[in-house]
Amino acid sequence: MRNRNLIQIGMMEVRLLVDEDQSAGSMVMFEFVVPYQSRVPAAHYHEDVDEVIFGLSGTMTTTVDGERCEVRAGDTVFIPRGTVHTHENLHQETARALITMTPGLIGRRFFEEIASAINVIGKPDIEHVKEIMLLYGLVAAPR
């Protein structure tokens, strides 16, 4: 039986702990599992959502407005809405972080749609990924 709260996006995993339906849209919380050499496909910002990262294990590199932050167990990073950021794992140990987003506009439906676009045979259509992102208020940063 498939765990409805576990969403695989490429090599990364999102384990939903509180989704937008449970919180009536006030927040989303999930464990983010990022294996070595995995990364979020596009630097982006959220139009209407603040994000907090709390490191659980390993080291996740989060780049916020061009500044790299090594997020280790016990570290916290606040990413205010409108701030360009991305996540990746440059270290050999799998990184795990607790992510909270408020309000809960980016949740289960977003991650399921992104997973569907990323988990394809061959190379994902990044333009389609960006279209999905825009539907949920995520804007890809210009390169």
Side-chain angles (χ1 to χ4, degrees), residues 106-125:
I106 304 166
R108 179 184 309 279
R109 289 177 283 282
F110 167 74
F111 292 120
E112 288 173 344
E113 287 186 45
I114 285 294
S116 178
I118 295 289
N119 300 340
V120 295
I121 296 172
K123 195 171 184 177
D125 178 349

Side-chain angles (χ1 to χ4, degrees), residues 42-45 84 126 129-130 133-134 137-143:
H44 62 280
Y45 65 89
V84 174
I126 294 302
V129 169
K130 289 178 182 178
M133 290 169 61
L134 276 175
L138 285 83
V139 179
R143 291 183 171 237

Side-chain angles (χ1 to χ4, degrees), residues 38 47 51 57-58 64 71 84-85 97 104 107-108 112 125 136-137 140:
S38 295
E47 291 180 317
E51 181 172 348
S57 65
V64 181
V71 183
V84 174
H85 61 284
R108 179 184 309 279
E112 288 173 344
D125 178 349
Y136 293 88

Side-chain angles (χ1 to χ4, degrees), residues 64-111:
V64 181
D65 270 347
E67 184 179 332
R68 280 190 167 173
C69 304
E70 298 294 332
V71 183
R72 295 175 179 84
D75 292 344
T76 302
V77 176
F78 173 66
I79 305 171
R81 61 193 77 192
T83 304
V84 174
H85 61 284
T86 192
H87 311 288
E88 60 189 323
N89 185 347
L90 304 174
H91 306 273
Q92 293 196 0
E93 181 182 354
T94 295
R96 289 180 160 72
L98 182 67
I99 309 280
T100 303
M101 291 195 266
T102 185
L105 304 175
I106 304 166
R108 179 184 309 279
R109 289 177 283 282
F110 167 74
F111 292 120

